[in-house]
Amino acid sequence: MKRIRLYIAVIIIVTAWVFPGCQPNMDYTNPMAESDANFYNTKKNLIGAVNGAYNIMQRGGGWTRCMPFMLNARSDEYTYTSGAVAGETASANISQFVVQGDNEFMSLSYQDMFVLQYAANLAIERLKINQDGAFDLNNAEDKALYDRLMGESIFLRGLSRFYLVYFWGDAIPDRNYTTTGGADFKLGPSSPGVIYQNMISDFKEAANLLPVRSIVYTDPENLGRATKGSAFAYLAKAYMARPILDATAKAGDAEWALAKEALKKIIDSNEYELINNYRDNGSEANENNKESIFEVQFSRSTDTDGFNPVANGDIGTWTISGQNTWRQIELTAPNSSESGRWWNGQPSLALYNEFEQDANGKIIDPRAYQGLWIPDGAKYKGKSGAWIGHNILFSGGTFDEWKGKWFGVRKYGEDEYVNDAGKSGINDRLIRYADVLLMYAECSIETGDEATALTYINKVRERANKKMLNATEADQGMFYATGTGNLPTAEQLISKAPTLGRVVSANGQVVCEGIKINTVRRLLKHEYSAELYWEGWCFFNLMRWYNNPNDPDASSILDNLKNKNALQVEQTGLTGTIPFTYQRHLRMPIPSSELSTNSNMKGNSAN
């Protein structure tokens, strides 16, 4: 799947429009031409239909460009930069909580998540028809392949539903069929709770149909396809987040026992494990590894550019197709002469201060250095060819005014200058096994078993302490490359009870209160941040915890978002972020393009 030859663009058969008017009564159809009536009658073309659904995730509104902003920018782990203000206002607005209905990034994501749903439904329909007996369902090998392809398609449809409801709520259209036009283009919103039940059904059915990882990955050409573990992981996410995904649910309605059951199936399968090097979860060197549960597949390609919305009918001027991702050029190293990147968002001071420190204030968590560009950290090979540190990477001009406050993200970026950094092939990891272990720990807490929760939290912390194997020049000499780390156990950290994530300005003003790590629940929240930062789950988790009456910190969990302007000003001097309010900012607004063309749709609480 990583290979371009397998990850082809979606196959779209366009049916000719019949225009009324004065024309001869003739049949213009070429009986030899391919059409939707005769195309999907071979295994090859049915596999192509499924591959095409995967490919939608690589569109501009997907993970190629917009989704990393959509998933990360609203969290308190993220602050926007002056580069975003100057050249990418749409992304800055997402972080500021001032998204309007015409926000380009938001509109593109809305469009492409519905395209994903369409492409998945197309594959499902054509597989069900199984035209001309393309698959002999009495043949065990054919049946296994058929079931796997059906499971992948149903999983991808569930994925579209998951992200659509998470961002826009469930008062939106939902289809389990491909629309043929006409009045159906103006389909109204689903009834409350229906899409949640549909996504649950999709993930459960996909889990029943999909093989486990070791079977799928037996053929190297299938690396990256969805597996049984992928479906169970998203099923657990949905159960845990029911209060924010199901309009009929209320705070406290998370399905902890069901989520725990799904997660235990992943753990007991022995299909996954934590890999040795944390760094490999954000690099191109070790993609689709034993820790990976589902990734968006990218390959560095030189034949694709964006910026052509007219040709393909997309919204906006930032449409990108092909196999590559722009995340590296926009959300990693600063836009200095040494990096050649744009740098439109950066890790917040709250995230930086979340990492555990020694008595001298030096960060001791190896994950910070393996995933961020921070002081005293890994080296970057600049355009000059020299390996440089944070003090040089972040130097010159206005950088010098903000020493100690500006950082970069090493995850999803190469450790050196590359020509045309916008054409990156680094996969986006949507769910990792570490996340499964932390979710299982959370479910254990909610079901009264803190001892088990500590066991699984410690598994994640123990990996963080492992000596890095085969360290590259970027990590040469770092403590985790020459020996093991010094993170204390979960129990030891609770005993020390440090306050983490606290931000205090130079004049002594408290910008972020931070949290005292003196309970297992608070430790788990810290571990989510230290392990999964900038992987798209922080805002999602905050919304879940706010809706958990069992959480003693629920009432204050959104304080950093409410006070995000002060955090933004402290780190960049940029103003304009408004206070977060749950009722208005849980959702993104329904795009104005949808409201202007679909008379049956209306805005939501964010419009």
Side-chain angles (χ1 to χ4, degrees):
M1 287 291 283
K2 178 71 175 176
R3 302 301 175 198
I4 297 175
R5 65 178 181 272
L6 282 179
Y7 221 27
I8 60 174
V10 64
I11 301 168
I12 301 176
I13 302 299
V14 180
T15 303
W17 291 97
V18 179
F19 293 97
C22 297
Q23 52 182 323
N25 184 19
M26 296 175 62
D27 184 359
Y28 288 93
T29 303
N30 177 359
M32 302 301 294
E34 291 181 338
S35 70
D36 59 354
N38 64 19
F39 185 78
Y40 297 103
N41 63 345
T42 67
K43 287 182 185 177
K44 177 182 176 181
N45 290 349
L46 287 169
I47 292 171
V50 180
N51 288 354
Y54 279 102
N55 190 244
I56 304 305
M57 301 176 76
Q58 294 176 321
R59 284 166 60 98
W63 280 262
T64 291
R65 182 172 175 87
C66 296
M67 283 295 274
F69 291 101
M70 293 281 287
L71 290 165
N72 292 296
R74 292 192 292 170
S75 77
D76 57 2
E77 295 180 346
Y78 180 108
T79 55
Y80 63 91
T81 66
S82 57
V85 174
E88 198 175 68
T89 309
S91 70
N93 289 163
I94 294 172
S95 182
Q96 293 172 313
F97 306 125
V98 292
V99 176
Q100 302 297 317
D102 60 353
N103 183 282
E104 194 169 46
F105 279 26
M106 182 272 298
S107 298
L108 274 169
S109 291
Y110 183 87
Q111 168 191 274
D112 282 353
M113 289 303 99
F114 273 111
V115 175
L116 174 59
Q117 186 174 108
Y118 175 90
N121 278 327
L122 174 65
I124 292 167
E125 287 179 356
R126 294 302 166 178
L127 283 166
K128 285 182 177 179
I129 293 171
N130 192 26
Q131 188 174 345
D132 299 334
F135 288 90
D136 178 0
L137 300 183
N138 293 315
N139 176 280
E141 185 176 344
D142 267 19
K143 183 63 164 60
L145 176 57
Y146 177 90
D147 286 349
R148 193 203 79 196
L149 293 170
M150 184 66 79
E152 291 177 48
S153 304
I154 292 170
F155 169 76
L156 292 172
R157 183 174 64 187
L159 208 66
S160 75
R161 286 167 163 158
F162 179 92
Y163 286 107
L164 282 166
V165 172
Y166 170 44
F167 286 125
W168 292 282
D170 68 353
I172 56 174
D174 182 67
R175 296 179 178 89
N176 59 3
Y177 58 90
T178 55
T179 183
T180 56
D184 192 58
F185 278 152
K186 295 186 178 182
L187 183 67
S190 298
S191 299
V194 168
I195 304 180
Y196 176 77
Q197 294 302 327
N198 287 344
M199 82 173 74
I200 292 294
S201 177
D202 279 347
F203 292 142
K204 290 171 70 174
E205 187 174 0
N208 287 333
L209 289 169
L210 287 168
V212 295
R213 180 188 188 277
S214 57
I215 292 177
V216 176
Y217 285 18
T218 298
D219 182 352
E221 298 291 355
N222 287 328
L223 292 180
R225 290 187 182 277
T227 65
K228 190 177 294 291
S230 310
F232 277 133
Y234 268 95
L235 178 62
K237 287 278 187 190
Y239 280 141
M240 294 169 71
R242 187 185 170 202
I244 64 172
L245 297 176
D246 179 358
T248 68
K250 61 183 183 302
D253 281 350
E255 302 278 8
W256 299 112
L258 292 175
K260 189 176 184 180
E261 179 183 355
L263 295 166
K264 194 65 164 60
K265 289 178 180 177
I266 300 173
I267 295 169
D268 289 347
S269 72
N270 294 316
E271 291 284 327
Y272 303 94
E273 62 186 39
L274 300 176
I275 59 174
N276 189 87
N277 293 357
Y278 179 80
R279 166 67 180 144
D280 284 345
N281 288 311
S283 70
E284 194 167 13
N286 194 13
E287 296 172 335
N288 300 308
N289 57 55
K290 287 281 285 185
E291 187 168 341
S292 174
I293 292 183
F294 190 65
E295 302 182 10
V296 179
Q297 307 294 309
F298 290 110
S299 293
R300 180 175 174 83
S301 55
T302 59
D303 58 349
T304 56
D305 284 304
F307 316 140
N308 194 2
V310 176
N312 54 29
D314 280 316
I315 301 169
T317 58
W318 293 103
T319 298
I320 300 162
S321 61
Q323 308 301 319
N324 49 40
T325 168
W326 280 35
R327 183 163 180 165
Q328 175 174 239
I329 199 171
E330 297 192 287
L331 292 170
T332 55
N335 55 338
S336 66
S337 59
E338 290 286 354
S339 74
R341 302 180 190 178
W342 297 351
W343 198 54
N344 291 318
Q346 67 169 322
S348 71
L349 279 166
L351 173 60
Y352 180 78
N353 291 340
E354 186 70 34
F355 293 103
E356 295 157 56
Q357 303 176 5
D358 63 18
N360 298 317
K362 180 178 174 58
I363 290 176
I364 62 171
D365 193 330
R367 292 170 293 188
Y369 301 108
Q370 293 185 44
L372 298 174
W373 299 113
I374 55 177
D376 303 316
K379 299 295 190 294
Y380 179 89
K381 189 175 183 179
K383 188 176 183 179
S384 63
W387 287 93
I388 59 178
H390 177 274
N391 61 325
I392 299 177
L393 185 60
F394 286 80
S395 64
T398 57
F399 286 118
D400 292 331
E401 302 172 21
W402 298 92
K403 282 289 178 66
K405 295 184 179 181
W406 284 7
F407 317 109
V409 178
R410 193 179 172 195
K411 284 181 180 178
Y412 305 115
E414 297 181 64
D415 289 339
E416 58 186 284
Y417 171 85
V418 289
N419 186 42
D420 202 349
K423 293 176 179 176
S424 170
I426 300 174
N427 291 358
D428 243 86
R429 280 70 160 177
L430 300 196
I431 292 192
R432 298 192 280 114
Y433 188 53
D435 194 359
V436 167
L437 297 180
L438 294 178
M439 287 192 290
Y440 190 76
E442 184 172 357
C443 291
S444 296
I445 292 172
E446 296 299 337
T447 53
D449 187 0
E450 288 194 346
T452 295
L454 285 167
T455 297
Y456 283 90
I457 293 171
N458 271 324
K459 288 179 183 291
V460 176
R461 291 177 66 81
E462 287 164 7
R463 187 274 297 278
N465 270 336
K466 287 187 175 181
K467 178 182 177 181
M468 176 180 272
L469 300 179
N470 304 314
T472 65
E473 289 184 82
D475 295 291
Q476 288 292 332
M478 294 298 294
F479 66 90
Y480 51 81
T482 59
T484 57
N486 297 308
L487 284 178
T489 65
E491 293 85 350
Q492 290 169 339
L493 185 62
I494 292 173
S495 178
K496 291 181 179 179
T499 296
L500 301 176
R502 185 176 177 85
V503 179
V504 181
S505 67
N507 62 10
Q509 179 183 359
V510 176
V511 178
C512 298
E513 289 285 353
I515 188 168
K516 190 174 184 178
I517 311 301
N518 58 358
T519 67
V520 179
R521 189 186 296 273
R522 287 179 168 182
L523 170 63
L524 176 65
K525 291 172 185 171
H526 159 71
E527 208 59 35
Y528 271 118
S529 291
E531 177 69 28
L532 301 174
Y533 60 89
W534 276 58
E535 295 184 34
W537 296 113
C538 179
F539 186 86
F540 179 86
N541 288 340
L542 291 173
M543 299 305 106
R544 291 193 301 105
W545 296 333
Y546 177 73
N547 280 281
N548 184 2
N550 295 331
D551 190 336
D553 299 317
S555 62
S556 61
I557 205 71
L558 305 182
D559 284 356
N560 280 4
L561 299 183
K562 295 175 182 177
N563 198 32
K564 194 175 179 182
N565 186 64
L567 177 61
Q568 182 74 46
V569 171
E570 176 64 23
Q571 193 165 0
T572 67
L574 299 170
T575 61
T577 303
I578 67 173
F580 176 90
T581 58
Y582 179 82
Q583 290 73 19
R584 179 169 176 78
H585 299 122
L586 169 64
R587 307 298 184 199
M588 292 286 192
I590 303 297
S592 53
S593 56
E594 172 78 21
L595 298 177
S596 65
T597 58
N598 186 350
S599 57
N600 292 316
M601 279 293 293
K602 62 180 181 180
N604 60 20
S605 60
N607 283 96

